Amino acid sequence: MIPTIIDNTKPKTAKFVYKAPPAFLTSYDKEKYWRTEVDRWSNGYKGLTGFQYFYLTQWWFQDNSAKGNRRAIKPVWRQDDEDLIFNPIDKCFEDFWDFMLFKRRECGWSSILSALFFWRGLTQIGSVMGYTSADMDRIMGFMTKKIKYGLERVEFPQDTLPLRYHLTAS
């Protein structure tokens, strides 16, 4: 028997890599493109759930690792996110289960959760989502640093979608 050598030094190929929207030649091309994108947010695309596809193509978050240089960055596909976050969330919505999350810091949950609020509002008009935290300062920080930050950077033409949102804290 000849031994097989497995090279684990090279990173595995990502299942999905973000590509910016193309330059549109006509308004028809633009409308057709965004109609397709909205459909993918609901139904998924190439093995990704609808929410995961939305998160990877539309959402931005703030890179806090570089002190003083807080740039906007795109999320990247990670297998663990797919297995432990996106697929279970999709299953909850598919089977009409409740979804409760106990999170810890520095895992990326806040960025994903901030996109979840917005995605759900886009794909399920009239839906209501709630968020609770230990104190008002944390809630306001989440709303401004995560949700509002992402909302200000989404790439789709916001004037063409039937979306109303209201950020409140009490």
Side-chain angles (χ1 to χ4, degrees):
M1 178 175 191
I2 300 172
T4 302
I5 299 173
I6 300 172
D7 184 0
N8 283 330
T9 60
K10 295 178 184 174
K12 294 182 177 162
T13 305
K15 184 176 181 178
F16 180 84
V17 177
Y18 170 74
K19 292 180 186 150
F24 302 105
L25 297 176
T26 67
S27 60
Y28 173 77
D29 291 339
K30 181 178 181 179
E31 187 178 319
K32 182 179 172 188
Y33 174 85
W34 287 111
R35 236 187 274 124
T36 302
E37 288 296 288
V38 170
D39 181 65
R40 290 174 180 176
W41 300 342
S42 294
N43 301 314
Y45 181 66
K46 291 191 174 182
L48 302 176
T49 69
F51 173 46
Q52 187 178 17
Y53 182 79
F54 173 83
Y55 177 69
L56 294 171
T57 60
Q58 295 302 310
W59 210 246
W60 292 86
F61 56 93
Q62 193 172 22
D63 179 11
N64 293 324
S65 63
K67 304 244 184 215
N69 183 19
R70 299 190 177 210
R71 59 193 172 95
I73 58 174
K74 247 346 191 177
V76 294
W77 178 87
R78 301 184 302 188
Q79 184 68 51
D80 289 343
D81 290 346
E82 185 166 309
D83 295 340
L84 301 173
I85 300 171
F86 293 104
N87 287 338
I89 287 173
D90 193 56
K91 183 72 172 157
C92 285
F93 288 134
E94 180 183 306
D95 294 343
F96 301 103
W97 292 350
D98 293 331
F99 176 72
M100 181 178 282
L101 166 69
F102 297 94
K103 74 173 211 66
R104 63 172 296 259
R105 297 180 61 85
E106 306 302 324
C107 290
W109 262 109
S110 294
S111 297
I112 293 170
L113 189 60
S114 65
L116 178 65
F117 288 123
F118 192 63
W119 168 80
R120 193 68 177 166
L122 282 171
T123 58
Q124 300 291 318
I125 304 302
S127 62
V128 176
M129 305 275 301
Y131 173 79
T132 185
S133 189
D135 57 52
M136 187 57 74
D137 289 340
R138 290 183 190 181
I139 290 174
M140 295 308 294
F142 177 73
M143 290 174 74
T144 57
K145 293 177 185 169
K146 304 290 183 173
I147 296 176
K148 188 174 178 217
Y149 191 86
L151 281 174
E152 291 171 347
R153 287 160 181 80
V154 291
E155 298 177 47
F156 64 86
Q158 296 180 25
D159 58 333
T160 63
L161 294 174
L163 173 69
R164 292 181 309 213
Y165 64 90
H166 186 65
L167 298 178
T168 61
S170 58

